[in-house]
Amino acid sequence: MNSKRFFIYFCSIVLLSCAVFLASCVSTPAPSRLYVLEQLPAKSLGQTLHMDKPGDIILIMPVRLPPQLKQKGIVIEDAKSKPQILVDHLWASSLSDQIGARLVADLQSLLGTPDVSLFPGPRFANPVYQVETEIIRFSGDKEQFTLQAVTTISAPAQKTILSRQSFSETLPVPDRDYTAYVATASKMMEDLSRDVAKTLIKVHTVKP
């Protein structure tokens, strides 16, 4: 009886030791890194856009993204390969929300006005211009980054499209890491915002 108990006790110790050993062999996955689009200081265009009446605003609509950019993982792709969604390098929040917030902040700075707001905007505001942004590509590899988008500016009260134009730019990534990758993406967002700001000034100037 004693030998049987000893055998059971011995087997229990062996099994427990094996379990501890196996657990120690399982590597702990590296924590995911989170990224946000940098808020770069957008330089003024030298022109301001003054709204005609208090309550008039420029309304930035929700940004539309292709399916692969709706994931939290940063997308890596080039002309020769399919998009790869990273699992350990993630956007800290929705890319659509980040791009929309970035457009608002940039346009307020570039146009010299606080009258730019994300949808749905302040209560009782009157959207004079509505800006819709469709991102076609927002990705690259560790050597270069490409931003392609289509922006539409319309007058909601007249139910009229005032401008619809494409934007495309590719810039080199200065360092082969994801911090530089995101910094390059941030720089290109400033260029997109500047393009939208110039168009807004143009359509506001020729407004009847």
Side-chain angles (χ1 to χ4, degrees):
M1 188 68 177
N2 290 338
S3 61
K4 184 177 181 180
R5 288 181 178 176
F6 177 79
F7 178 75
I8 294 174
Y9 175 77
F10 177 77
C11 289
S12 299
I13 295 297
V14 171
L15 289 174
L16 180 60
S17 300
C18 290
V20 172
F21 176 75
L22 289 173
S24 65
C25 291
V26 177
S27 59
T28 303
S32 299
R33 290 197 60 181
L34 301 179
Y35 300 84
V36 296
L37 291 174
E38 299 174 17
Q39 186 60 57
L40 303 176
K43 298 179 181 178
S44 172
L45 294 176
Q47 295 176 276
T48 56
L49 194 157
H50 297 289
M51 307 307 286
D52 296 335
K53 297 180 294 183
D56 288 355
I57 65 167
I58 300 166
L59 191 62
I60 307 301
M61 302 302 290
V63 176
R64 296 194 296 276
L65 301 174
Q68 69 270 21
L69 293 178
K70 294 179 181 179
Q71 311 297 321
K72 290 200 69 175
I74 287 179
V75 175
I76 300 295
E77 65 178 321
D78 56 33
K80 301 177 182 178
S81 63
K82 294 181 179 180
Q84 175 190 359
I85 301 174
L86 303 180
V87 297
D88 52 353
H89 295 275
L90 312 175
W91 293 111
S93 61
S94 161
L95 188 55
S96 174
D97 291 346
Q98 289 197 52
I99 292 175
R102 180 65 194 275
L103 281 169
V104 169
D106 283 352
L107 290 175
Q108 287 177 345
S109 177
L110 290 165
L111 298 175
T113 176
D115 298 324
V116 184
S117 179
L118 277 174
F119 177 87
R123 287 195 302 167
F124 314 123
N126 174 41
V128 175
Y129 302 115
Q130 183 173 286
V131 179
E132 298 172 74
T133 305
E134 180 181 359
I135 301 296
I136 309 301
R137 182 176 175 184
F138 195 80
S139 60
D141 51 32
K142 287 191 175 182
E143 295 183 355
Q144 60 183 20
F145 189 94
T146 297
L147 169 56
Q148 294 176 340
V150 175
T151 57
T152 303
I153 299 174
S154 57
Q158 290 76 37
K159 297 182 179 180
T160 302
I161 291 178
L162 304 174
S163 170
R164 182 171 171 82
Q165 59 188 32
S166 60
F167 175 92
S168 181
E169 185 175 58
T170 298
L171 291 178
V173 177
D175 296 306
R176 297 178 66 85
D177 60 51
Y178 293 108
T179 299
Y181 185 88
V182 172
T184 304
S186 302
K187 170 63 175 67
M188 301 184 79
M189 274 305 308
E190 179 187 356
D191 295 341
L192 174 62
S193 297
R194 187 173 297 275
D195 191 68
V196 173
K198 290 179 180 179
T199 305
L200 281 165
I201 288 176
K202 181 179 179 180
V203 299
H204 188 68
T205 302
V206 301
K207 185 178 67 173

